């Protein structure tokens, strides 16, 4: 079975902390995505990557950065976490056809 | 960009009832999936259906690409069908989510 694995299901951090969310896929997909999902706002694209070391800003990149040093791993970084970054974060990958999602990370910033 | 509208936005069903969810696109698509987001937030892939009809148990889906819509049929609904259903226009780089249908199945 194909797999997209997010490192944490629940995460609690303090304001100002540097936060790393990790996502690993085992399907050799070129494209990987980070979304956040908030009630009433649907899924919003933060960043995506179409190759190793390549990244593109999505719709809401402010306050986030990403890293893709290896094809299978796409990391989302919150340089200085703030309370408005409390959200559900979803990672996805695709080869261009089917899209696969990780199980999500519920991040709370206190 | 391409807009993906879903209807109805909310739906309440009695257990055992059937329903049809609809997804309309503003432009042609050649890549469409249906997902179910369960109450724990996980997005489950139901169908990859750029065209034609597929069935999987109590669920089936039909996409008519020339008329820019897709339908998801749920028969004999169960409480575990509750959650939000998304149609998603995929692609190599640009992915567009539908607005979602929130389904609640009551015993």
């Amino acid at each position: 079975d194909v797999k997209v694995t997010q490192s944490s299901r629940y995460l609690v951090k303090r304001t100002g902390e540097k936060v790393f969310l990790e996502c690993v896929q085992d399907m050799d997909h070129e494209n990987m995505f980070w979304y956040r999902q908030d009630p009433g706002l649907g899924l919003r694209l933060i960043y995506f990557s179409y190759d190793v070391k390549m990244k593109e800003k999505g719709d809401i990149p402010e306050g986030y950065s990403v890293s893709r040093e290896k094809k299978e791993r796409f990391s989302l970084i919150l340089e200085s976490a703030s309370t408005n970054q409390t959200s559900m974060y979803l990672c996805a990958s695709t080869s261009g056809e089917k899209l696969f999602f990780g199980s999500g990370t519920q991040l709370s910033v206190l | 960009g391409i807009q993906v509208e879903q209807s109805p936005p909310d739906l309440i069903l009695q257990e055992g009832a059937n329903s049809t969810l609809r997804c309309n696109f503003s432009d042609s698509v050649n890549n469409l999936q249906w997902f179910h987001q369960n109450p724990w937030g996980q997005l489950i892939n139901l169908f990859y259906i750029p065209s034609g009809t597929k069935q999987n148990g109590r669920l089936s889906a039909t996409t008519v690409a020339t008329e820019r819509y897709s339908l998801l049929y749920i028969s004999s609904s169960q409480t575990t069908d509750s959650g939000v259903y998304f149609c998603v226009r995929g692609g190599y780089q640009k992915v567009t989510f539908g607005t979602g249908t929130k389904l609640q199945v009551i015993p």
Side-chain angles (χ1 to χ4, degrees):
Chain A
D1 253 2
V2 296
K3 259 196 158 175
V4 179
T5 303
Q6 293 184 230
S7 53
S8 304
R9 185 72 182 94
Y10 298 97
L11 210 51
V12 180
K13 296 292 182 181
R14 294 205 176 274
T15 302
E17 278 193 77
K18 190 169 185 175
V19 181
F20 292 86
L21 302 183
E22 306 286 347
C23 176
V24 177
Q25 50 96 1
D26 64 359
M27 297 163 282
D28 202 36
H29 285 168
E30 289 85 11
N31 286 12
M32 298 185 73
F33 305 82
W34 275 108
Y35 293 90
R36 65 176 281 177
Q37 185 177 27
D38 301 286
L41 296 176
L43 281 89
R44 294 181 290 168
L45 180 65
I46 305 172
Y47 268 96
F48 71 94
S49 168
Y50 51 90
D51 202 351
V52 175
K53 296 190 188 294
M54 307 302 285
K55 60 186 179 185
E56 292 283 343
K57 291 180 180 179
D59 301 317
I60 51 162
E62 297 79 19
Y64 303 94
S65 62
V66 290
S67 171
R68 188 141 181 227
E69 296 296 319
K70 293 185 178 181
K71 193 175 187 180
E72 66 270 19
R73 185 180 297 269
F74 191 33
S75 303
L76 181 69
I77 303 158
L78 287 66
E79 294 289 342
S80 177
S82 63
T83 54
N84 63 12
Q85 293 178 310
T86 290
S87 185
M88 168 69 88
Y89 290 87
L90 289 153
C91 173
S93 76
T94 182
S95 61
E97 291 188 347
K98 290 185 185 181
L99 190 65
F100 296 90
F101 282 91
S103 54
T105 296
Q106 180 62 53
L107 173 67
S108 297
V109 183
L110 306 178
Chain B
I2 293 180
Q3 307 296 316
V4 184
E5 295 287 333
Q6 289 185 241
S7 60
D10 295 279
L11 186 59
I12 300 175
L13 293 177
Q14 200 77 41
E15 197 169 24
N18 304 328
S19 64
T20 300
L21 281 55
R22 186 178 179 103
C23 174
N24 290 326
F25 335 124
S26 62
D27 202 346
S28 60
V29 298
N30 56 9
N31 181 322
L32 189 87
Q33 285 179 262
W34 281 96
F35 287 89
H36 173 217
Q37 188 168 36
N38 63 25
W40 297 271
Q42 189 168 4
L43 280 154
I44 311 297
N45 187 359
L46 299 176
F47 293 102
Y48 172 73
I49 186 159
S51 64
T53 297
K54 290 186 178 179
Q55 178 145 14
N56 184 2
R58 297 181 297 104
L59 304 181
S60 64
T62 295
T63 296
V64 184
T66 53
E67 298 188 20
R68 303 180 187 174
Y69 73 88
S70 184
L71 302 173
L72 178 70
Y73 306 95
I74 304 174
S75 64
S76 304
S77 58
Q78 300 176 357
T79 55
T80 51
D81 295 330
S82 296
V84 182
Y85 289 80
F86 290 101
C87 60
V88 180
R89 173 203 167 271
Y92 194 61
Q93 291 184 6
K94 191 67 178 173
V95 174
T96 305
F97 285 84
T99 48
T101 292
K102 185 175 181 180
L103 173 64
Q104 185 180 356
V105 181
I106 54 178

